[in-house]
Amino acid sequence: MESTADDLDGYDNATVYEDGTVVRVSIRRTDDDAYPSGWRYTLHYGALTAGPETLDDGTIRRYDNSHEDTKGHELHVAPDPEPEFVKFPSIEELYERFWDEIPKPRFGPSNDNGDTHD
């Protein structure tokens, strides 16, 4: 089931897996000028411990807009330390793309109630 923008607004979850990986999703609407898209988000798939297959912070794959007003929307993919700049389609489309690109079972606001730790 696809999530709507209203479903995703305010969604925050971190799920830790037995293989030492983690998926963190944090999405919220904002009227802060630093986020012209109207969204502040991080869609993160990574390892709890950084290694040769991750970035220094453990990232394997992450979409974020932490510097949207100056750098835009970014995709970080290990092992390349330089982010790729991506076009922001919509929060719903980016959320779907993230789940399509990582090897973990999908979770989201329509099928969970907050933080889970497997």
Side-chain angles (χ1 to χ4, degrees), residues 18 47 78 104:
E18 289 182 14
K104 293 297 174 189

Side-chain angles (χ1 to χ4, degrees), residues 19-21 46-55 58-61 77-80:
D19 65 0
T21 60
L48 294 174
T49 304
E53 73 285 351
T54 73
L55 299 180
T59 295
I60 297 170
R61 181 174 210 88
V77 181
D80 187 351

Side-chain angles (χ1 to χ4, degrees), residues 26-111:
S26 179
I27 304 170
R28 66 182 167 107
R29 281 189 172 107
T30 180
D31 58 5
D32 186 321
D33 290 343
Y35 302 94
S37 66
W39 293 96
R40 181 176 183 172
Y41 64 86
T42 300
L43 307 172
H44 173 91
Y45 169 58
L48 294 174
T49 304
E53 73 285 351
T54 73
L55 299 180
D56 288 345
D57 66 357
T59 295
I60 297 170
R61 181 174 210 88
R62 182 180 73 242
Y63 286 96
D64 71 58
N65 66 338
S66 60
H67 309 285
E68 183 181 344
D69 60 339
T70 57
K71 295 183 181 179
H73 301 266
E74 297 178 327
L75 169 59
H76 304 262
V77 181
D80 187 351
E82 292 302 315
E84 175 185 337
F85 299 99
V86 295
K87 183 178 181 209
F88 180 72
S90 70
I91 196 62
E92 301 95 334
E93 287 180 51
L94 194 63
Y95 181 78
E96 295 298 324
R97 183 186 311 165
F98 172 72
W99 285 109
D100 288 346
E101 294 172 349
I102 68 167
K104 293 297 174 189
R106 180 188 172 123
F107 60 76
S110 60
N111 59 1

